[in-house]
Amino acid sequence: MSEGTTPLPATRRISVIAQDPSIRRADGRVLMASIDVPAEELLPGPIGYRVQVVDYDASTGRYAGAHEIPASAEAEPAAWAEGRPDIVGDRRFHAQNAYALVMKTLARFEFALGRRVGWSFKVHQLKVAPNGLMDANAFYSRQDEGLVFGYFPGRDGKTVYTCLSHDIVVHETTHALLDALRERYLLPSGPDQAAFHEGYADVIALLSVFSQVELVAELLRRGAGSDGDFIAERHVAADALRKSALFGLAEQMGDEMHAVRGDALRRSAEIQPGPAWLEEAEFLEPHRRGEILVAAVMNGFIEAWTARLQAAKAPEQKSHALRRVAEEGADLAAALATLWIRALDYMPPVHATFGDALSAAITADIEVRPDDSRYELRRHMLASFKAYGIAPASTRPDAPGAWRHEPAPMRYERVRFESMRTDKDEVFRFLWENRKALELREGAYTEVFSVRPCLRIGLDGFTLRETVAEYYQVARLTPTELAQKKIKLPREYVQTLSRKPLLEDEDENPGPVTPVYGGGVLIFDEWGKLKYHVHNDVFGSRQSARLQYLWDIGHLRPGSETARFSPEGLAAIHRARAIGVRRFPAEGW
């Protein structure tokens, strides 16, 4: 820095709507929040180094111009910070609200993962259309390299704007970030993976909403039927918090927004713990199945919140300071969001299950936050998931639910760790040198997807350096080869094959090939030693069930590749969820 140059701030404060315009204060003003986002010099749009807001309406072909938002919170119009109702129709505020929530979500992911996070496409900036089309919908589009938010007429004749809903903006941004971090989760695989994108985006969106003290305090105040500064002890029990906060949020999310988000949150809040939900036919449908993931996380959140409040109160205490209860809930929600974002690095790159996600979350949290005595998040997550019939995919004696450390001895003599921190070819050499120990299958194509060095910082300042490498394998096998690998094809699928009998004259007519996928993630410590290898075998036991599932949903056809779920299909998914579709269409996943 040259002499006399003033250091630039790292963050700035910016006003956003706390939830959506339907949640009002007693005086009729919209409930607002002030959030921190990365500071940058913006061009009109606004356009920054990661986000480009384009106020173009594809329905009318109208471009509303490039909006120049205030450079600081002090420069914002008074109507914005105060939440005057006229901000609902202010296109300039639309641009600020969408920009700020996208950047806040991106910053939350980058903090949790300890590195920059790119988009799934080659350009650096995510396009955001706050008023992109006249439709009761909002979606992420990889093809358009951005997020599209719709608007539609409400029941009272006033226009409803999805870009003004906190959870919808964060939900769609999470789709974009999840696609960047685990692009093959958009491949059809199994019911859990089909449900994970929607369920996970809901989880991050809800925890983002709950991390706002102003909103949590307002929900608690309404649930308790009080406008004072204290809340009675009975209103902070688990059942009371579930009704006043979690279910209260489901009630308060405007009726108009039902057309976009449907009843997903309301239904998730109402799902009582039960070990057999995932076996029910209703919950084999991906939208509904994702709600089990939401219910497990959010009920674990409520239990941890209650326990924290009970541990801190005096025996004779009959009430709590409302602000303190809200702050505890907001802090806990922020910590839980960080835990679940970090979990992505510890999840297999293909064929993910809810059990994989749980083990990944537990492991990621142990690595960066060994002392869980303050919130006991891991204990509450394990208990809540168990109550919904979800067991961790792994466990180890010293850490229930966590992935086991890689036990096999690895060969490091011919690889260079400095190169392995960033170089896909060096990681591939490590895989090649250790292919037997890592159970990589010969005859399958192998590719290293990504190599990401990370510097993670825990809530207590604890620092962890890791390198995360992701690879996958694919093999295209004939029916005989599948049988040799003990991978069973669906009987109905076999009957559709043109060659009869199926396995005769294999040399002359090998028959159609069926692709099977596998892959893993490698977690290296700061000295370049492998700590974890989380993987799904390309020839493993999950493949038979996966092929049966693909056949059942219409994505397994003779002589063709397994169909790919397009990110553009997220628009159809959201519409289906809103109207309560129970049968997932074949063209979805």
Side-chain angles (χ1 to χ4, degrees):
M1 182 177 66
S2 60
E3 185 176 352
T5 302
T6 303
L8 294 174
T11 62
R12 59 163 291 194
R13 300 288 285 176
I14 194 166
S15 296
V16 298
I17 291 178
Q19 172 43 43
D20 67 45
S22 69
I23 298 186
R24 303 291 180 98
R25 298 184 183 275
D27 60 6
R29 295 184 178 184
V30 178
L31 185 64
M32 304 295 289
S34 183
I35 63 174
D36 287 315
V37 302
E40 57 178 327
E41 300 294 329
L42 294 169
L43 295 176
I47 301 174
Y49 78 108
R50 300 304 305 281
V51 173
Q52 177 180 355
V53 176
V54 183
D55 197 356
Y56 175 76
D57 184 348
S59 300
T60 64
R62 177 189 169 212
Y63 175 57
H67 303 291
E68 189 168 351
I69 66 173
S72 66
E74 292 74 22
E76 291 178 355
W80 293 13
E82 296 172 3
R84 296 176 191 170
D86 58 355
I87 67 172
V88 174
D90 186 341
R91 299 285 283 264
R92 186 177 173 222
F93 179 74
H94 293 187
Q96 169 162 307
N97 196 76
Y99 163 81
L101 291 175
V102 171
M103 286 299 293
K104 177 67 174 180
T105 307
L106 173 62
R108 188 185 294 277
F109 269 71
E110 291 186 336
F111 166 77
L113 297 173
R115 62 176 185 273
R116 295 295 184 198
V117 180
W119 308 114
S120 64
F121 31 83
K122 293 182 179 180
V123 301
H124 300 292
Q125 294 158 314
L126 179 78
K127 300 178 182 68
V128 177
N131 303 285
L133 77 165
M134 182 182 291
D135 190 11
N137 204 357
F139 56 89
Y140 159 61
S141 168
R142 185 193 293 171
Q143 180 179 347
D144 295 321
E145 301 173 348
L147 310 179
V148 180
F149 297 97
Y151 62 92
F152 57 96
R155 296 174 185 172
D156 58 0
K158 296 180 181 179
T159 302
V160 178
Y161 298 96
T162 63
C163 70
L164 297 182
S165 173
H166 184 123
D167 75 294
I168 289 177
V169 177
V170 176
H171 177 104
E172 300 309 330
T173 307
T174 301
H175 275 311
L177 291 164
L178 180 53
D179 188 33
L181 292 163
R182 286 291 182 269
E183 65 177 68
R184 299 189 78 82
Y185 283 7
L186 291 179
L187 278 172
S189 172
D192 279 6
Q193 183 163 294
F196 186 76
H197 242 280
E198 282 296 303
Y200 185 81
D202 273 345
V203 164
I204 299 302
L206 291 173
L207 293 174
S208 178
V209 169
F210 270 105
S211 66
Q212 301 172 105
V213 175
E214 300 96 328
L215 180 62
V216 177
E218 182 64 21
L219 291 171
L220 292 172
R221 186 179 290 110
R222 295 182 184 187
S226 170
D227 58 359
D229 295 330
F230 291 87
I231 183 169
E233 169 68 17
R234 68 180 184 278
H235 291 302
V236 296
D239 287 343
L241 285 178
R242 193 172 287 110
K243 292 176 182 177
S244 64
L246 180 56
F247 190 70
L249 180 61
E251 289 285 343
Q252 289 295 337
M253 284 181 171
D255 288 339
E256 308 289 3
M257 288 296 179
H258 168 86
V260 183
R261 64 168 67 85
D263 281 334
L265 174 58
R266 184 192 305 270
R267 291 190 309 217
S268 298
E270 290 178 327
I271 298 173
Q272 295 296 317
W277 283 126
L278 293 178
E279 303 304 319
E280 297 285 338
E282 177 183 3
F283 290 101
L284 292 176
E285 187 273 320
H287 306 128
R288 199 74 170 110
R289 196 175 189 86
E291 292 163 18
I292 296 293
L293 179 67
V294 178
V297 174
M298 297 308 294
N299 276 285
F301 161 67
I302 293 291
E303 293 293 338
W305 189 7
T306 303
R308 175 70 180 162
L309 294 173
Q310 293 301 316
K313 81 178 187 69
E316 69 281 359
Q317 190 172 340
K318 301 300 181 183
S319 64
H320 298 258
L322 179 63
R323 180 75 182 184
R324 182 181 175 279
V325 174
E327 288 175 346
E328 286 284 357
D331 289 348
L332 184 58
L336 196 55
T338 298
L339 180 153
W340 278 102
I341 293 170
R342 284 175 174 158
L344 292 176
D345 272 351
Y346 294 78
M347 289 185 65
V350 293
H351 311 325
T353 67
F354 291 166
D356 291 331
L358 178 57
S359 283
I362 298 298
T363 309
D365 197 53
I366 287 172
E367 288 295 319
V368 98
R369 205 173 58 90
D371 183 4
D372 190 32
S373 58
R374 180 181 180 186
Y375 293 131
E376 295 188 301
L377 287 179
R378 298 192 287 271
R379 180 175 69 82
H380 288 294
M381 284 297 104
L382 286 168
S384 184
F385 272 68
K386 181 179 180 181
Y388 285 93
I390 303 171
S394 177
T395 189
R396 66 181 200 233
D398 64 318
W403 296 120
R404 291 179 177 270
H405 289 288
E406 180 54 48
M410 298 289 127
R411 303 302 302 264
Y412 298 93
E413 297 90 340
R414 296 172 182 170
V415 295
R416 301 292 178 266
F417 175 60
E418 282 304 314
S419 296
M420 269 208 304
R421 289 175 58 84
T422 56
D423 193 325
K424 295 179 184 179
D425 290 322
E426 196 72 19
V427 172
F428 184 81
R429 182 166 189 179
F430 174 83
L431 288 171
W432 188 259
E433 294 287 339
N434 295 283
R435 58 188 182 276
K436 291 185 178 179
L438 294 172
E439 298 180 340
L440 268 67
R441 301 307 181 186
E442 296 180 4
Y445 169 78
T446 305
E447 180 182 339
V448 176
F449 264 166
S450 62
V451 184
R452 301 173 175 126
C454 311
L455 175 62
R456 312 187 204 276
I457 301 175
L459 299 177
D460 57 357
F462 181 79
T463 301
L464 177 71
R465 295 180 185 272
E466 291 181 331
T467 300
V468 180
E470 180 187 8
Y471 73 91
Y472 86 109
Q473 289 195 294
V474 60
R476 292 169 175 83
L477 305 179
T478 65
T480 295
E481 290 170 331
L482 286 166
Q484 291 171 348
K485 305 297 183 186
K486 299 182 179 180
I487 299 174
K488 185 178 180 181
L489 287 168
R491 183 172 60 180
E492 301 90 340
Y493 172 71
V494 173
Q495 292 171 352
T496 66
L497 298 175
S498 59
R499 189 164 51 90
K500 299 177 182 180
L502 178 63
L503 301 180
E504 290 183 3
D505 301 323
E506 184 71 25
D507 293 336
E508 297 179 11
N509 184 10
V513 297
T514 301
V516 289
Y517 300 89
V521 61
L522 306 165
I523 309 291
F524 297 96
D525 65 20
E526 58 188 313
W527 298 283
K529 303 299 182 182
L530 184 64
K531 289 197 298 186
Y532 299 104
H533 178 216
V534 181
H535 67 293
N536 283 317
D537 189 349
V538 66
F539 300 148
S541 59
R542 290 187 184 182
Q543 296 293 1
S544 297
R546 170 181 170 268
L547 292 174
Q548 183 65 57
Y549 174 78
L550 294 179
W551 173 261
D552 292 341
I553 64 171
H555 279 302
L556 189 63
R557 299 181 180 89
S560 66
E561 291 285 341
T562 302
R564 183 180 183 85
F565 165 63
S566 166
E568 281 48 71
L570 288 170
I573 285 178
H574 291 179
R575 284 198 193 95
R577 183 170 80 169
I579 63 176
V581 171
R582 284 292 179 269
R583 178 176 172 80
F584 201 80
E587 62 271 18
W589 285 90

